[in-house]
Amino acid sequence: MNHRTAIPSRSVTLDDVHGAQRMLSGVARVTALEGSRHLSRLVGAPVHLKCENLQRTGSFKLRGAYVRIAGLLPEERAAGVVAASAGNHAQGVALASSLLGVHATVFMPEGAPLPKVSATREYGAEVRLYGQVVDETLTAAAEYAAETGAVFIHPFDHPDVIAGQGTVGLEILQQCPEVRTIVVGMGGGGLAAGIAVAVKAVRPDVRVVGVQAEGAACYPPSLAAGHPVSLPNPTTMADGIKVGRPGAVPFGIVGELVDEVRTVSEDQLSAALLLCLERAKLVVEPAGASPVAALLAAPDAFEGPVVAVLSGGNVDPVLMQRVLRHGMAAQGRYLAVRLRLTDRPGALATLLGVLSAADANVLDVSHVRTDPRLGLTEAEVELHLETKGPAHCVELGRALENAGYPVIG
């Protein structure tokens, strides 16, 4: 979706981002910029991965959280801070507060990944679980702030937070001065807005592309309407960008400075996460893999050199397992088949021999012997196979047919 929305002048400047960079010296890491030969071949130009998944706390969120809390007045620090997050902002606030000696209370959705909840507690924050989505926890945290006097640290809707996230853009310009396109995942828009402020002020020719999950794409309708619009039920595995409404501050900046907002499917997110793990040897959460998903979906749409920002790596191992299976299935590397064979000793072993000769890895086997559709001496077998890709799936189908095992589903 291309756009240019007329909005008031932005509230974050390049000077703000430079100030944030000085403040973060010795606190946030200057994360690596890694080349990707596979993506470069696909895009037809150099592609680099900005590895914020290797940042302290496992995501870029520490940058904005620290800048925001460090800028509080002494009496505000004494009152403590409160935040709401699905995990990455929670950990950023928890660590920043610990480093600055400030008490932090963090509201997290009830379904937040357990590793993120545990890590937030270990960084020293008091965790309260509330609501199903980030928007509900944001409301609860705001109410807590009003009741207690604690300072609410918004995950994306504050100039200091955006300035902190913008330091990622400064690092990209320093590490890859020839960059032509920066691709970054978007939830509320703080990271994309910060990067756009930093980059466009120095290199207005650089194209900044935001990426959202299809089921939680609040920016396209908001940009079309000219103001933030709420999604009734944002749905995506990418909890880091599962936000139902853009922030007012980042929305203005995104509308002015971000060149395009694209969306990606759950299948594309799964494939991107799998690619990062297999090809780049990087553990990335689905939200962090969203820029790679956009490159895989439309490689010809990006002028190189391209920098894709891997915004986070805090992925629940259970979700990782499901996503990897989903990603492999989307690439044609899983095959489920049902077939019938004679119910006699050795019949299954013979069938498995056919599959072994065709170089298929059997993951699961289930038998059905009592279905009324089956003959007296028949059994139905369902097989889940790991394959080498779509072409191998076709070969396996032929091998089964040639061996006398017609596939029925």
Side-chain angles (χ1 to χ4, degrees):
M1 175 180 174
N2 292 297
H3 63 271
R4 271 288 183 268
T5 305
I7 54 154
S9 106
R10 59 188 178 274
S11 56
V12 183
T13 68
L14 179 61
D15 285 343
D16 295 327
V17 181
H18 279 300
Q21 189 175 49
R22 291 190 293 270
M23 190 178 292
L24 288 168
S25 178
V27 175
R29 295 172 181 150
V30 176
T31 52
L33 194 73
E34 298 287 345
S36 170
R37 284 182 291 181
H38 178 76
L39 289 173
S40 296
R41 285 195 298 270
L42 192 67
V43 173
V47 175
H48 306 279
L49 306 175
K50 177 62 172 167
C51 299
E52 282 297 291
N53 59 310
L54 303 180
Q55 182 58 261
R56 294 179 71 179
T57 74
S59 89
F60 71 96
K61 289 288 191 176
L62 172 64
R63 298 173 184 263
Y66 187 90
V67 172
R68 173 76 173 101
I69 297 170
L72 296 178
L73 298 173
E75 57 269 28
E76 292 176 318
R77 293 194 191 191
V81 299
V82 60
S85 166
N88 287 341
H89 178 62
Q91 292 174 73
V93 168
L95 178 56
S97 299
S98 177
L99 294 173
L100 293 164
V102 177
H103 177 73
T105 302
V106 178
F107 285 79
M108 304 180 74
E110 293 174 1
L114 291 178
K116 293 185 178 183
V117 175
S118 298
T120 302
R121 288 193 173 114
E122 288 172 7
Y123 284 127
E126 176 189 347
V127 175
R128 301 191 181 193
L129 300 179
Y130 183 88
Q132 300 300 316
V133 296
V134 174
D135 300 271
E136 294 174 356
T137 60
L138 283 169
T139 300
E143 291 173 353
Y144 176 89
E147 293 169 1
T148 65
V151 179
F152 180 49
I153 308 299
H154 200 284
F156 48 80
D157 202 12
H158 192 279
D160 290 348
V161 172
I162 293 171
Q165 321 305 29
T167 58
V168 175
L170 294 181
E171 290 178 17
I172 290 172
L173 292 179
Q174 292 159 359
Q175 294 169 314
C176 185
E178 68 279 14
V179 63
R180 297 291 300 168
T181 306
I182 297 173
V183 191
V184 54
M186 290 174 58
L191 178 60
I195 288 175
V197 167
V199 171
K200 292 289 189 176
V202 181
R203 289 276 310 282
D205 60 302
V206 173
R207 187 170 178 80
V208 179
V209 178
V211 182
Q212 295 205 286
E214 285 179 354
C218 59
Y219 264 91
S222 297
L223 291 167
H227 57 83
V229 173
S230 296
L231 295 181
N233 184 32
T235 305
T236 176
M237 74 174 89
D239 60 280
I241 54 175
K242 187 181 176 181
V243 177
R245 182 183 177 89
V249 180
F251 175 77
I253 297 170
V254 168
E256 184 179 356
L257 297 179
V258 172
D259 296 279
E260 182 182 5
V261 176
R262 289 177 168 262
T263 61
V264 292
S265 69
E266 300 297 284
D267 282 352
Q268 289 162 346
L269 286 168
S270 298
L273 189 149
L274 183 61
L275 183 143
C276 288
L277 186 63
E278 286 191 326
R279 297 299 185 103
K281 314 305 177 190
L282 292 168
V283 176
V284 181
E285 61 190 274
S290 58
V292 174
L295 294 178
L296 294 176
D300 297 333
F302 302 92
E303 180 184 359
V306 177
V307 173
V309 181
L310 306 182
S311 57
N314 294 315
V315 58
D316 182 352
V318 176
L319 175 63
M320 171 71 88
Q321 188 177 38
R322 293 206 311 265
V323 170
L324 290 179
R325 284 200 303 265
H326 190 75
M328 292 179 73
Q331 291 185 355
R333 291 166 58 183
Y334 276 143
L335 178 64
V337 295
R338 285 189 301 116
L339 45 84
R340 291 179 185 177
L341 68 165
T342 303
D343 190 10
R344 59 175 174 76
L348 180 59
T350 302
L351 169 62
L352 295 179
V354 173
L355 295 171
S356 176
D359 208 16
N361 184 30
V362 179
L363 300 175
D364 191 30
V365 179
S366 62
H367 283 84
V368 176
R369 291 187 173 90
T370 58
D371 193 301
R373 296 172 302 167
L374 298 174
L376 183 64
T377 61
E378 286 184 319
E380 187 172 286
V381 177
E382 182 172 338
L383 297 154
H384 292 258
L385 310 172
E386 183 180 0
T387 73
K388 299 175 183 178
H392 191 205
C393 291
V394 174
E395 291 175 16
L396 286 170
R398 286 201 201 99
L400 290 169
E401 293 278 354
N402 292 338
Y405 299 102
V407 176
I408 60 176

